Amino acid sequence: MTLIHSSPAPVPFAPRTARALVQSLAPLGALSGQILLGLSFPLALLALWSLGAARGWVPPQILPAPSVVWQSFLDLCADGSLALHTNASLIRVAEGFALGATVGLVFGAAVGLVPALRAWVWPPVQAATRVNVLAWMPLLTLFLGIDEALKVVVIGWSVSIPVILATARAVGDVPATLRELGAVLNLTRAQRLRLIVLPQALPQIATGLREGLANAWQSLVIVELFASFEGLGYLMTWGRQLFQLDLVLVAMAVIAVLGFSLDLSLRAVERWLQPWQTGAGHGR
């Protein structure tokens, strides 16, 4: 008696390829949906703005039409003035952020790691953070004048506050069990900082840095409104004085785009520094 062995029919190549293609494109489709959802609200505002300008709901002296703002943007790009003001503001933000982030990380880590230092300086630091940076500007002006040093220090001050708070809290809140584990494994202080404290504290520190970057842009506009002859804040002041609100709106749009782009860059760096984290914030 002859036994006939039957094998399952092979799955056609085309359906398997199509299924794999659909699976590979699924994340892209989800991302596109998120992008479209995020753009829906600003596009609706833009449509309402255009309709209001065309129907004359708002006087053009108060809110110019989108076409006027766009033409002003093109003119500023053509004569190079927008690039000049943007470059000046970016340099100030970069210098202030570097200063504030460095001071915030070092001081925050020291406060979090040394309980005696925390008990000594933490109450006055928390009291100082309750005072807006604007309140310190008259005092800082006495020592720094109104030149670039004042702008960089004010921006750095506004950056350092959330970085100090986030870093001190993140480093100080590392569970005692993890610290004891480092002692049991006979890790050196540097190894405990690198292998235990830093991975545990990094998410909170990154949040403080992003908040500090947002504060940097807000403080930039304030200091450039106060005393400056170049920069996006100065462009806003100039447009307001000339009653050319299209210049104000152009400067506001550029600040918003730059701030959002830099925040996305910080998020990308954060993901690169935390390869064990997924996009949802859970461990792999």
Side-chain angles (χ1 to χ4, degrees):
M1 182 177 179
T2 304
L3 297 178
I4 301 176
H5 298 278
S6 61
S7 59
V11 179
F13 178 75
R16 284 186 298 171
T17 305
R19 190 182 305 112
L21 181 61
V22 170
Q23 292 176 351
S24 63
L25 292 178
L28 182 61
L31 178 61
S32 301
Q34 292 178 357
I35 293 176
L36 291 176
L37 183 62
L39 291 176
S40 60
F41 183 67
L43 289 177
L45 288 180
L46 179 61
L48 182 61
W49 178 14
S50 302
L51 180 62
R55 298 289 181 87
W57 293 345
V58 182
Q61 296 82 4
I62 298 178
L63 185 63
S67 58
V68 176
V69 177
W70 177 250
Q71 186 58 48
S72 298
F73 172 76
L74 295 178
D75 294 340
L76 291 171
C77 291
D79 62 18
S81 56
L82 184 60
L84 174 67
H85 292 301
T86 303
N87 184 63
S89 293
L90 282 174
I91 291 175
R92 288 167 182 156
V93 168
E95 293 176 348
F97 182 78
L99 174 64
T102 302
V103 172
L105 289 173
V106 173
F107 185 74
V111 169
L113 291 172
V114 183
L117 181 63
R118 183 184 183 96
W120 181 44
V121 304
W122 195 239
V125 167
Q126 285 189 313
T129 59
R130 301 298 187 271
V131 182
N132 192 282
V133 67
L134 289 177
W136 297 99
M137 286 186 63
L139 181 62
L140 293 174
T141 304
L142 295 177
F143 296 96
L144 302 174
I146 59 173
D147 294 329
E148 288 298 312
L150 174 67
K151 301 173 180 61
V152 173
V153 169
V154 170
I155 294 173
W157 188 303
S158 64
V159 171
S160 65
I161 290 175
V163 177
I164 289 174
L165 297 178
T167 304
R169 191 174 297 115
V171 173
D173 290 346
V174 174
T177 53
L178 294 179
R179 299 178 184 273
E180 293 172 0
L181 177 62
V184 169
L185 296 177
N186 292 323
L187 299 179
T188 64
R189 178 179 291 272
Q191 289 175 330
R192 277 180 281 179
L193 288 175
R194 180 171 59 88
L195 300 176
I196 296 177
V197 176
L198 184 59
Q200 185 74 19
L202 193 55
Q204 256 185 288
I205 294 175
T207 301
L209 287 172
R210 292 203 309 271
E211 186 177 348
L213 181 61
N215 287 355
W217 282 104
Q218 296 172 7
S219 300
L220 169 77
V221 175
I222 293 171
V223 296
E224 289 184 343
L225 289 173
F226 178 69
S228 181
F229 298 101
E230 59 181 359
L232 295 171
Y234 169 74
L235 184 60
M236 294 173 62
T237 304
W238 180 251
R240 180 180 57 84
Q241 292 175 347
L242 296 178
F243 293 98
Q244 294 181 350
L245 295 184
D246 50 323
L247 298 181
V248 177
L249 293 174
V250 168
M252 290 173 59
V254 173
I255 290 174
V257 171
L258 288 176
F260 183 70
S261 301
L262 291 175
D263 182 72
L264 290 180
S265 301
L266 276 182
R267 289 178 182 270
V269 173
E270 179 185 357
R271 288 193 297 268
W272 178 72
L273 291 175
Q274 301 178 82
W276 60 88
Q277 296 283 344
T278 63
H282 302 290
R284 293 192 216 220

